[in-house]
Each structure stands twice: as C-alpha cells, then as structure tokens.
Amino acid sequence: MPFLWATLASAQPPVEPVEESITVYATRTGVRLQDEPTRVEVLSKEEIEEKAMMTPGDIVMLLNEMGGLRVQTTSPSLGAASIRIQGMRGRYTRFLSDGLPLFGQQGGGLGILQIPPTDLGQVEVVKGVSSALYGAGAMAGVINLISRRPGPEPIRDVLINRSSLGATDVSAFFANPLAHGWSASLLASGNFQQRIDRDNDGWADLAGYNRGVLRPRFFWNDDKGATALLTGGITYEDRAGGTMPGSTLPATGAAYREAPYREAMDTRRYDIGGNYQFLWQQRYLVSARLAASWQNHRHQFGESLERDRHEMLFGELSIRGTYSRRFSHTWVAGFATERDAYRPRDLPRFAYLYVTPGLFVQDDIQFTSWFSISASARADFHNRFGTFLSPRLSALFRPTKKWTSRLSAGQGFFAPSALTEETESAGLSRLSIPTALKAERGRSASFDLTREIGPASVTATLFGSSVRDPVEVTTPVTAASTYSLINATRPVKNLGAEFLATYRKAPYSATASYTYVDSPSPLTPRHSFGLTGMWEKEAAGRIGVECYYTGVQRLEQNPYRSKSRPYFSVGFLVERKIHGVRLFFNAENLTDSRQTRWDPLLRPDRASDGRWTVDAWAPLDGRVVNGGMRFLF
C-alpha cells in the first residue's frame, strides 16, 4: 500500500513498500497513519482509478464524494468551482501538489477543473485550521495531491473517454527508471467539452472548453538516504459560456437582450518546483523545497474584458530530529517564505503583492503506547497585515486496538483580497472596496471516535469553526450597478458532525457517509448522505453502485426561491479487464436531478454585479453516461 506523503518536511512522493502499512507525513513527522494525533483522511490509488473512469478530465468527483467535502460551483457560466471543507468557504482551502503550492493561492476555482487524476497515486485531506502546518490560506484545511512514482518496471497508461454530453478526454501517463538512481514520469492530457444547453433556453448550462496539460517529473535517490524531486507543468485552456452560438438572451420577465452575451476565460499556467532532502550527521533530516508558478487569465464578461496575471514564489528549509528522555520526541523546525502577487492589467486598483516569511516548530510526544500529542506553532510576518501566530494542538487516545480517538484544535489567518467566489463569477469591473479589508482569522476544533470491527470501521466526528472579520459581498442601496466587499462585524460559525462507515473484505467494499453542517453560509447543505458499494477482482474488473443525497441549502439573491430543493443522485460503474485493456462504462445522476428542471438558471433581470444567472445549487448537467478504454502496457 502506498506511503502517504504530504509534509512540508519530506522530499518526494512515497515509495511503495510490500508491507501493509501506511506511514503518514502530512504532519511533518513521518509516523504511521494509525499513530498520528492529527486526523488525515486518504484516498488510495485504487479509489483514484475508480473516480478517474467517472470524470477523467478533472478531480472534481474524486473530491466531491469524500465526506465533509463539497465541490461548490462558483460560476455557472464557466463551471468554475471551489472546495468547501466542513462548510467553510473555498478560499480557505489550501491545495498542494507533492507538498508544493504549485497552484499558488488560486488552487480553487478553475484550478481544480484543470487537474487530471491519471498521474495521482494518493490524495490526503487534513480538515480544520492548518495554518500552523501550512501558513496562510489553510484555515479550512489542506488537500495534497500526491503523484504516482515510477517503479522498477516501465509504466504505460493511456485512457480514452467520451461522454453523452460531448466531452472527450485523452490522457497518457508514462514512467520509467533511469540510470544512477534517477527515474522519470510524464503526464500528457487533452480534454474537450462542447458547449451544451440542457434546457433549450439559449444559454449554455455547460461551458465548452479545450484544454491541454503537460507535466514531467524527475526523481532521484542515493544509498545514503538523500532524495530529490523536480517537476514542471504547463496548462493551456480556452473556456467559453454564455449564450449559445446564434442565440440571444430570451425574454425573461422585464429583461431582454438582443445582442449575444459571451463569457469566456483563457488560461495559461506555468509552474516549476522541487525538493531535496538528506541526512546530516546521520541524525537529522534536512529538507529544502522551492516552487514558482505564473498564471495568465483573459476573462470576458459580456462587454467587459479583464486580463490579469498571478505570480507565486515559495521556499522552505526545515530540519527534523528525534530524542528520548522520559518520553519520545520527534521535532521539526524550519523557515518558509511565500510571495503572492496579483497584477490585473485592466483594473490595476485591485493589484496586490503579499510577502509572508514565517517560522514554524512542531513537537510530537509519545507518552505511552496509547497516548500521544502533537503541538505545533507558526509565526507569519505578513508585509501588509502584520504578524500572526497560528498554534495547533492534537491528541491521540487509543486505549485498545479497536478504539481510537483524536482531539484537535487550532487557529489561523487568511490574507483577503478582491478575489473571492463571488468575484470569480461576476468579475471585478463593478466591484468596489469602500474600506481597507482586514485579515480574516479563524479557529476550529474537532473530536472523533473510531471503532474497528473486523473488516469494518466506524468513525464519528464532531467539529466546529469560527471566522472573525469574514469578507462578504454587499449590494449598496445607492448604486444599482455595483457591489462591494467588506469585513462583516459578526463572525461566521459552523457546527457539525460527520459519520463514516467502511467495510473492506475482498472482493467487496462499501462506504456509508453522513454529514451535518449548521452554517450561516449560503449553498451549504445541512444534511448530505452517501452510500457506495464495489465488487472487484483484479483479473476480471469491477462493478460499483453509488447513491448520494444533498439536502436543503440556503440561497441568496435568488428570485425564484430562498431555499433549494433536496435531491438524490444515483450512478453505477462497470469495468471489464481483457488482457492489457480495461473497458469501462459509467452512468451518473440516473435520477436526472438538474436545477433547470425546477427553476430557470437565467435571472428575470440582470443582477447588480452584472451576472445573468443565479447561483448553482444543484447539478446543471443532469443525467450523463460515459465510456472508454484504458490501456496498460
């Protein structure tokens, strides 16, 4: 089973050992998953392969079906989305790739729609405030995407997929051992989607896009324990929505447009990153990592054109060691700095340059075989918002082999800007920021209890979070064609519970999950439930079924309703292996739950922020089937 790797102190994706053990580095110290005081949820390579046959072009479904996570569509016109963890806004979720912030602070939005899953070997999720481990931008948690590492034999993996809604996906993953401890991998992906109008109202419910992704990786290790990783990536995408070609906005109430309304986003992203670690004096593990990314956008909102560039530079140096006195200690200390710049060409008043150096320290203490704690703290020195201290404390209790409990609490911060879920959908041309924004500060706590019952496992979790000075959107009374960002005076508080039950005994596996979230944030279901089952034999294939329920959500600025309808989604997957070829067929949302079956997506009048659409609270694509072939040789 693959080792987990998501720490800011480890150097590269894990080696795949023979032993049935998972070592987690997500909290820097490299202990076994079951011994880690901080709860880390993982998706294995087998689960990733299953989701890759459902949506080969991106990782949306892979994340959306994890308990406590919700992929929220932020721009119905273009399909942009963000990841909400336990009800918190998507901007608070930190995305990493092999422990590197290759996506900068803009990993959400269109970023998660541009990441193919073909080269992933593991996904780790740390829920709750994680600024003590990962700095600014991790108030909701961290998602780390771990790449597949080359093995002793060459890997050739090619996937071809076609869906009933006009999507075509072609991806290839190649990996090879090289000489003198070197190995390499290459991901190449091409994804295409037709613009689709599901309800025939002249507006594209699904945006069309053409995307290409290229990512090489190089790995190195020697006999003395030194390892290195070097990676780079290029993403080109042109995405278009709005009115369908040859159509105009239909008459809806008092609003009518004779001219077509086009919304489009062209993305050009380049990134490079790497890390290196070695043993010093045979006692300490020294790690260094660097990352840089550049992202250019050309965004059209009807008559408005917004062009911008995102820049990110990141560096870190850390050292890890162990010592034993009365108790066993594993400690980590280090220095990190990040430079995040936003340069809007057409709206320069929203430009910013954030530079945030920071110091961090962590100590994991093993008191007994059944009790341990992890204490970490980070001091960040933001060039604009000042100094922030982000502590986190986690404890593990394991009185017996069958019972495990974890308690965790922490606090962190987020440096605000004009870039939010709302502005990504509406653009910046109508935006005003009447007063300088203050940094958002968050706290969270969780308690979970796990019971192992043979091949089954049951986990119950209670969680809560609070964000002070949250940035929110307001519509000024005196200006009907503008909207504003301000710091709210009242904190946003979330309370909730999760329940997860799994059963794994070959050839069967099943998962049941339930999440309850009490949150004032719109588009947050109070109740959600999922049930999946899978039969799998390595030489034959697999058959899987799934059913998901999404409960009522509070809606804002929706002229048709103030609360959404609950809905179900049912699907199944069939895969057949024939020698080196895997044939697969997948059906999603057989209930055809679709927002436009109940309400129009188009507004009767244009909103003050310029949008013609309401928020997406249910699927816009409806029933979808897809199928294809995967070649392994």
Side-chain angles (χ1 to χ4, degrees), residues 539-619:
R542 71 184 85 188
I543 300 174
V545 295
E546 61 182 19
C547 177
Y548 291 95
Y549 169 81
T550 300
V552 174
Q553 308 161 55
R554 186 175 68 83
L555 306 178
E556 284 188 340
Q557 300 183 18
N558 188 312
Y560 305 112
R561 60 176 70 235
S562 60
K563 293 183 179 179
S564 72
R565 290 176 54 124
Y567 61 88
F568 280 94
S569 177
V570 178
F572 71 89
L573 169 71
V574 177
E575 179 196 28
R576 180 72 170 97
K577 297 181 181 180
I578 305 176
H579 302 294
V581 180
R582 299 182 180 184
L583 305 177
F584 61 88
F585 177 83
N586 177 65
E588 290 294 323
N589 197 358
L590 293 176
T591 55
D592 198 25
S593 297
R594 179 162 42 91
Q595 184 169 328
T596 52
R597 290 182 59 197
W598 303 305
D599 297 320
L601 182 64
L602 286 172
R603 295 174 175 272
D605 297 286
R606 197 172 187 181
S608 60
D609 58 14
R611 290 186 296 171
W612 278 101
T613 60
V614 298
D615 290 328
W617 49 266

Side-chain angles (χ1 to χ4, degrees), residues 496-548:
E498 293 180 22
F499 175 84
L500 175 67
T502 61
Y503 174 87
R504 291 184 176 89
K505 186 174 183 180
Y508 303 102
S509 63
T511 300
S513 62
Y514 167 75
T515 303
Y516 169 82
V517 181
D518 183 5
S519 171
S521 299
L523 301 174
T524 303
R526 178 158 291 195
H527 303 277
S528 56
F529 173 79
L531 180 64
T532 66
M534 180 71 66
W535 173 91
E536 179 178 8
K537 282 194 174 181
E538 181 63 29
R542 71 184 85 188
I543 300 174
V545 295
E546 61 182 19
C547 177
Y548 291 95

Side-chain angles (χ1 to χ4, degrees), residues 428-440:
L428 301 176
S429 61
R430 297 172 180 244
L431 176 68
S432 66
I433 303 179
T435 59
L437 297 176
K438 296 185 291 184
E440 301 175 82

Side-chain angles (χ1 to χ4, degrees), residues 5 13 96-100 144-147 217 229 231 275 289:
W5 178 94
L96 302 174
S97 175
D98 287 332
L100 300 169
N144 188 34
L145 310 175
I146 305 169
S147 61
R217 292 185 177 91
L229 163 69
T231 182
N275 48 47
R289 62 186 62 238

Side-chain angles (χ1 to χ4, degrees), residues 31-32 115 157 172 175 295 381 389 425 453 486 537 569 581 596:
V31 301
R32 296 186 306 164
I115 303 172
D157 188 347
Q295 183 168 262
F381 309 95
L389 181 63
S425 175
I453 310 172
I486 63 169
K537 282 194 174 181
S569 177
V581 180
T596 52

Side-chain angles (χ1 to χ4, degrees), residues 177-183 220:
L178 305 176
H180 308 296
W182 286 90
S183 58
W220 174 82

Side-chain angles (χ1 to χ4, degrees), residues 126-135 138-142 390 392 411-412 444:
V126 181
K127 300 176 182 177
V129 173
S130 302
S131 296
L133 303 177
Y134 302 99
M139 284 206 309
V142 174
S390 304
R392 178 165 178 152
Q411 72 177 31
S444 72

